[in-house]
Amino acid sequence: MNKITDTAATGQRPHAARTTLAVLKALRRDKRISRKDLPGLTGLSAGTITAVTSDLVARGLIVEQRAAGTGKGRPRTYLEIDAAGPVVVGARLSERGELQTAFVDLTGRELFTARTPIPVFPTLAQFAQRICDELDRAIVTSTIVPRTIAHVGLAVPALVDDRTGVVHQMLTVASDPVPLADMLAERLNLPVTVENNANCLVRGEHWFGCAQEHDDFTLFRVGYVLSSARYAGGMPRTGAHGFTPEIGHAKTAYGSEAKPCFCGALGCVSAYCSIAGLVMHPEEWHASRLPPLEVVDERFARLLDDAEQGHPEALDALKTAGEHLGRIVADHVNAADPGSIIILVPDERYRKLTMATFQDNLDALALPAFLRNTRVSFATTSKDWQWKGMAALALEKAYLGPARKPEPV
């Protein structure tokens, strides 16, 4: 059975977590509201609002501010997220091998950032140890007092059990699973969450970006690979083992003519519609032969330029990309009834050049009843999505309670 959240990882049961986050999201949207406003904004009862807000005040996550008196009667009391409260640390290991770290307050305001190259190591354990070293160094360099840090969230491009923080697989490093969250918690003596980059991105869009108004939606991202993550009932949804589904490795082509994918299989949708799938040659999928990402970016920009100028080969490649993207989105609509689907693309030209075949395949393959009730939209991936996603991961975990923190010695 799929789990929306994990009690051990958040400190709250799913229903309690949803009510807590519903209150905090209302406060983020409206900035300064009273307890009396919250039932109408969240659909929660007055009793539940009182219990949740009292807990959040006691934990130093929100504050009560009394309005200046303007006449008779008791001045109104407003609730606000406490910008002077705890700090959270969000970190992300990028596809370019760079550890990007952001320290933010509870409102999401950036306080300090750091970027550090992480070289490739022969084993995942060595890789994990270097991440521990660099995060420790970033905390020291930031001059932020460690006891004010409420939570550390780390996102990595890997197959991760987000309940336990165990990294099971990373493309460029062959190794046994590594308990990265435990390693970091022991090293930093702080609560730590580790999860997949896609799940981090979907949190960022839900808290800060284009999905703030959606509690039920799926986010597809066309990047170097095709990735996706999902929210249901206002909470991220992962699989039975804590994994974020790898939609990019679902098959949209079969047989010996299907394109090879870096995972070793044939016909993966990423091989047809992702950046790398469009511009990399099959022999380059091997980790030892991967071209620099700058080269991949240059090829992709040239492909879009050529398509805009009417070059048949480029137009055909993007037509095929739209076809396969439409197939996988239709399959998801039929299988998940997601409510809304947001597709993030790296360049607006990608959307324009793939839209016709995307829409044709979506219309042909999705069941009409599902499609009529699913809102499908496109957006361009924002340049600052990394820190938004990192901050959202750490903020959400801080709001919901401690996770993966070692016992005091």
Side-chain angles (χ1 to χ4, degrees), residues 212-393:
Q212 292 183 61
E213 303 302 319
H214 301 293
D215 279 341
D216 297 278
F217 71 99
T218 297
L219 189 76
F220 284 81
R221 181 189 176 225
V222 178
Y224 294 110
V225 298
L226 180 70
S227 58
S228 74
R230 186 181 174 199
Y231 258 71
M235 296 288 292
R237 179 182 288 275
T238 55
H241 300 94
F243 297 147
T244 301
E246 291 286 346
I247 196 72
H249 298 292
K251 307 299 181 279
T252 52
Y254 299 92
S256 59
E257 298 302 312
K259 288 182 70 174
C261 177
F262 68 84
C263 71
L266 298 175
C268 296
V269 65
S270 268
Y272 291 91
C273 65
S274 69
I275 294 174
L278 280 164
V279 302
M280 286 176 60
H281 305 296
E283 60 270 16
E284 293 178 314
W285 279 123
H286 299 285
S288 61
R289 301 176 190 169
L290 287 173
L293 293 184
E294 292 78 8
V295 172
V296 177
D297 290 340
E298 289 173 4
R299 292 180 187 174
F300 183 62
R302 193 180 311 123
L303 176 73
L304 295 176
D305 290 342
D306 289 347
E308 280 195 314
Q309 293 168 17
H311 294 194
E313 188 175 342
L315 286 171
D316 285 346
L318 288 160
K319 178 181 176 181
T320 300
E323 176 185 344
H324 286 265
L325 185 61
R327 288 180 187 177
I328 199 64
V329 171
D331 283 348
H332 183 69
V333 168
N334 293 340
D337 183 22
S340 294
I341 291 176
I342 301 169
I343 303 169
L344 295 180
V345 296
D347 189 302
E348 174 62 14
R349 294 179 296 170
Y350 178 97
R351 182 195 67 81
K352 291 179 179 178
L353 292 162
T354 60
M355 179 55 74
T357 52
F358 168 82
Q359 195 66 54
D360 286 347
N361 280 267
L362 178 63
D363 291 342
L365 300 174
L367 291 172
F370 281 111
L371 191 55
R372 281 195 302 272
N373 290 283
T374 303
R375 181 175 181 268
V376 180
S377 60
F378 283 78
T380 304
T381 306
S382 63
K383 295 185 184 300
D384 59 355
W385 76 264
Q386 293 94 339
W387 84 259
K388 288 180 178 178
M390 295 184 296
L393 167 60

Side-chain angles (χ1 to χ4, degrees), residues 187-200:
R187 176 68 175 272
L188 304 176
N189 195 33
L190 290 167
V192 174
T193 299
V194 178
E195 68 179 19
N196 174 271
N197 268 345
N199 226 25
C200 185

Side-chain angles (χ1 to χ4, degrees), residues 40-251:
L41 293 170
T42 63
L44 300 172
S45 70
T48 298
I49 292 296
T50 298
V52 171
T53 54
S54 297
D55 174 64
L56 292 171
V57 169
R59 290 166 56 200
L61 301 178
I62 65 175
V63 291
E64 297 176 292
Q65 301 283 0
R66 186 161 291 179
T70 57
K72 295 181 180 181
R74 186 177 179 182
R76 197 176 192 193
T77 299
Y78 293 96
L79 298 170
E80 296 178 342
I81 293 175
D82 189 3
V87 174
V88 298
V89 181
R92 172 181 177 264
L93 184 63
S94 75
E95 296 92 343
R96 299 175 186 272
E98 182 181 63
L99 186 67
Q100 303 165 344
T101 308
F103 294 68
V104 299
D105 65 23
L106 293 179
T107 69
R109 182 171 61 95
E110 187 178 294
L111 305 174
F112 177 83
T113 61
R115 293 172 177 263
T116 308
I118 303 289
V120 176
F121 287 89
T123 71
L124 192 53
Q126 290 173 310
F127 206 68
Q129 189 57 57
R130 180 59 180 267
I131 292 173
C132 291
D133 293 342
E134 295 304 332
L135 270 177
D136 193 13
R137 185 174 292 111
I139 290 173
V140 172
T141 305
S142 73
T143 71
I144 290 171
V145 180
R147 62 181 170 79
T148 67
I149 297 174
H151 206 97
V152 177
L154 171 67
V156 292
L159 189 62
V160 184
D161 181 344
D162 74 344
R163 302 166 307 173
T164 62
V166 173
V167 179
H168 286 261
Q169 183 180 350
M170 189 176 289
L171 170 63
T172 55
V173 182
S175 182
D176 293 330
V178 171
L180 182 53
D182 282 340
M183 292 173 64
L184 280 167
E186 183 175 0
R187 176 68 175 272
L188 304 176
N189 195 33
L190 290 167
V192 174
T193 299
V194 178
E195 68 179 19
N196 174 271
N197 268 345
N199 226 25
C200 185
L201 172 61
V202 78
R203 290 182 198 274
E205 293 298 336
H206 186 57
W207 281 94
F208 300 107
C210 60
Q212 292 183 61
E213 303 302 319
H214 301 293
D215 279 341
D216 297 278
F217 71 99
T218 297
L219 189 76
F220 284 81
R221 181 189 176 225
V222 178
Y224 294 110
V225 298
L226 180 70
S227 58
S228 74
R230 186 181 174 199
Y231 258 71
M235 296 288 292
R237 179 182 288 275
T238 55
H241 300 94
F243 297 147
T244 301
E246 291 286 346
I247 196 72
H249 298 292
K251 307 299 181 279

